[in-house]
Amino acid sequence: MNIRIRYFASLKERLGRHEETREVPGGTSPRALLREVLESAGAGDYAPPVVFAVNLAYVSGEESLSDGDEVAFLPPVSGG
Amino acid sequence: MIHITDQPLSFEQARQAVSDPAHGAIVLMEGRTRDHNGGRRVVRLEYELYPEMVTVELQRIHSEILTAHAVGKMAFLVRSGAVPVGEPSVIVAAGAAHRAPAFAACRQAIDDLKRRAPIWKREVFEDGQEWVGQQEGTP
């Protein structure tokens, strides 16, 4: 399934990109997707504190993604 | 009103957005770039947003506040990009018939925005810059 991924702040800098789309197997969770992204970027031992959002809502990260979902990996927020 | 921009924020715009003949009280809070943090001099702050989700999350916060407090109108103004010392990065406003709910709603609005809105702040000091981590500021 096709997933759009958004990166921000420190994680965006670490990976060198702010977004991408990936083909992932059905049943992939946001947490598993993050692990895969970090591994393929050669940053498998980087364990940033991140919360997950799918389609503009916070989620636990254990859910199964659906085709066309937008996942965001959010470092700790500090705005306002 | 939920307004996201990279331009300077207008206190007057926030005030107008929550004004109403039925409102006896308007409470506004302006969050500004402070010239110091952790003993270092701050030159400016830079804000990065996930804009689509900021809008949706502020809509959620807005609904929750309207349910929890006797408030008529809320405004959230958020600035992205560079914000120099002394300029606002956020303005929240509440208009209500009475001041107690206006104060409570405004307080909850800024606290919830800081806790939940996907916004990241980078501090630019004279001698470097860094992303602010977990919110450790003094409320």
Side-chain angles (χ1 to χ4, degrees):
Chain A
M1 48 183 185
N2 213 291
I3 302 294
R4 183 179 181 205
I5 309 173
R6 308 284 296 268
Y7 304 107
F8 297 94
S10 48
L11 185 55
K12 180 183 82 174
E13 286 178 351
R14 183 69 176 78
L15 295 174
R17 57 185 177 275
H18 65 96
E19 67 177 347
E20 65 176 303
T21 53
R22 273 191 185 229
E23 271 296 316
V24 303
T28 301
S29 69
R31 191 178 301 279
L33 181 55
L34 176 61
R35 263 199 306 275
E36 181 190 306
V37 163
L38 292 175
E39 295 271 353
S40 63
D45 55 353
Y46 179 56
V50 142
V51 292
F52 302 98
V54 174
N55 300 334
L56 312 182
Y58 285 109
V59 296
S60 73
E62 315 303 330
E63 300 76 9
S64 292
L65 293 166
S66 303
D67 186 43
D69 277 349
E70 173 166 307
V71 178
F73 301 125
L74 309 179
V77 299
S78 52
Chain B
M1 162 194 281
I2 294 168
H3 181 58
I4 299 172
T5 179
D6 62 358
Q7 297 301 300
L9 301 180
S10 163
F11 203 75
E12 187 55 33
Q13 182 184 15
R15 189 169 160 272
Q16 294 286 350
V18 300
S19 292
D20 189 280
H23 293 169
I26 291 173
V27 174
L28 303 103
M29 187 272 175
E30 183 176 294
R32 298 176 157 203
T33 296
R34 200 174 57 243
D35 66 1
H36 64 280
N37 198 29
R40 299 165 81 181
R41 181 178 295 283
V42 173
V43 172
R44 66 178 180 274
L45 295 176
E46 293 176 351
Y47 287 91
E48 183 176 324
L49 275 54
Y50 181 8
E52 301 93 316
M53 190 173 166
V54 170
T55 299
V56 168
E57 194 65 19
L58 289 180
Q59 284 169 345
R60 294 187 183 106
I61 291 169
H62 183 209
S63 290
E64 290 162 18
I65 293 173
L66 290 182
T67 301
H69 302 286
V71 60
K73 294 183 183 178
M74 302 286 305
F76 299 81
L77 282 64
V78 174
R79 185 174 175 188
S80 62
V83 183
V85 167
E87 293 192 28
S89 55
V90 62
I91 302 174
V92 296
H98 302 287
R99 69 184 182 282
F103 273 110
C106 190
R107 179 76 207 223
Q108 185 172 330
I110 187 64
D111 286 353
D112 284 357
L113 182 153
K114 281 178 170 286
R115 202 167 40 84
R116 291 163 52 178
I119 301 172
W120 296 272
K121 173 165 60 184
R122 190 205 317 248
E123 288 178 317
V124 179
F125 304 101
E126 285 174 327
D127 57 351
Q129 55 180 272
E130 60 194 41
W131 289 103
V132 175
Q134 289 295 126
Q135 182 65 349
E136 295 158 353
T138 307

